[in-house]
Structures are given as structure tokens and as C-alpha cells.
Amino acid sequence: MNLDLLVRVPVGLLPVMMFLVILLYLDSYKLTGFRTVLWVIVAGAGATVLSYFANGVLYDLLPFEFDQFSRYVAPIIEEGLKALIIIYLFRTSRIGFLVDSAIMGFAVGAGFAVAENIHYLYRAGDAQMGVWIVRGFGTAVMHGGVTAIFAIFSQVLTERNMKINPFLYLPGLVAAITLHSLFNH
């Protein structure tokens, strides 16, 4: 195995997972079980696979150049799929407190980012170290952060209204898509 790759893999994968571990450590309530967090990370990775295929199909169908597609279409697909996992967690009462929504949102995004970076390592493992620094510290944390923002917005709005109304998920989803799009710019 290439020595450079031994450096690129941790730079591309560890920052987001370390941040998730810190969030779990800071959770003083400890109501979010470790097994549930692992399941959510795997679900986030599954969203990566689904988005890979959905983005591929839509890229072939829509008249966008790659830059336009990655700025305006891919964030909708990716954030929508990650949001479905969070909505499932709300609907099954697996998220109860604001800190839980932040942790679970970040876990979904972390799983998404790790799977995406593994794919990039496979496809472009010889990319310069700067790419892996951006992917590990930028893109990966962005995926976790924007999904956490979606989850927090959704928690606050549904709690405040004492009901789960699908329209109450829209502000958080719009925020996540917008931030993702801005990051891709």
C-alpha cells in the first residue's frame, strides 16, 4: 500500500468521526444509545449510495453542466435523502431532545461523508493532500453540520407546535440545501 494513501485515508475519514465522538462525549443526558448512533451512521452511508445513483440518473436527464448540477441539484438530492432518515427518527420517537437531534443529524451526515470519501478514495486516491484536507475537514464536516442544522430546526419547530407537521420540516431542509449549495460554490 502506498505510504501517501496511509496518510490520505485518515485525513479524509477521521475528522468527521472525531467530531461525532466529541458530540457524544459532550451529551450529558446520554439518552442516545451507541447502537442507535451506529445504525444512523450506516443509514447515512446508505443515503450516499442512493444519492450516487439518483444524481447519476438526474445528471443524464437534466441539461446542466457538472458545476451547475453539483451546486443546485445534488444538494437537493443529498439533503433530501439525509432528511428522510432524521424524519424517520422523529416519527419513531428516537429523538427527544435538542441535543439528540444535533447528534443524530451529525451522525447521519458523518455516515454520508465517510461513505462518500471512501468512494472518492477509491476513484481518486492519488489526488493531492489538499483535496483530502478539504474533503476531511470541509466536506465531511459540512455534511454532518447541515444535517444537524436540519434536525435542530425540525426539533425546535415541531416541539414548539406540539405536533409533527410535514411542512415544519421545510425551513430546516431549505437551510441545509442552501448551505450545502453555498459550500459547493
Side-chain angles (χ1 to χ4, degrees), residues 8-40:
R8 288 183 185 114
V9 169
V11 169
L13 300 179
L14 290 181
V16 70
M17 297 310 289
M18 289 175 21
F19 193 79
L20 179 59
V21 168
I22 291 168
L23 281 177
L24 287 168
Y25 176 75
L26 293 175
D27 176 15
S28 59
Y29 296 113
K30 304 289 187 229
L31 297 176
T32 305
F34 186 71
R35 294 173 94 186
T36 303
V37 172
L38 285 178
W39 176 88
V40 169

Side-chain angles (χ1 to χ4, degrees), residues 90 97-98 101 149-163 168:
F90 279 124
F97 294 100
L98 201 56
S101 62
I149 288 169
F150 166 75
I152 291 167
F153 266 68
S154 298
Q155 174 77 16
V156 168
L157 292 174
T158 56
E159 218 173 58
R160 197 175 282 162
N161 290 288
M162 301 303 281
K163 61 183 174 181
L168 297 176

Side-chain angles (χ1 to χ4, degrees), residues 71-138:
R71 292 174 182 164
Y72 303 112
V73 179
I76 295 168
I77 303 300
E78 294 174 8
E79 296 312 320
L81 288 169
K82 291 187 291 180
L84 288 174
I85 298 166
I86 297 299
I87 292 168
Y88 171 80
L89 293 170
F90 279 124
R91 302 290 292 179
T92 58
S93 301
R94 299 232 185 345
I95 296 177
F97 294 100
L98 201 56
V99 69
D100 299 336
S101 62
I103 290 168
M104 295 305 226
F106 199 86
V108 169
F112 189 99
V114 166
E116 186 178 64
N117 280 354
I118 288 170
H119 173 73
Y120 276 100
L121 279 164
Y122 175 74
R123 304 274 298 182
D126 59 346
Q128 294 180 347
M129 182 56 78
V131 170
W132 299 112
I133 291 170
V134 169
R135 290 221 53 88
F137 289 94

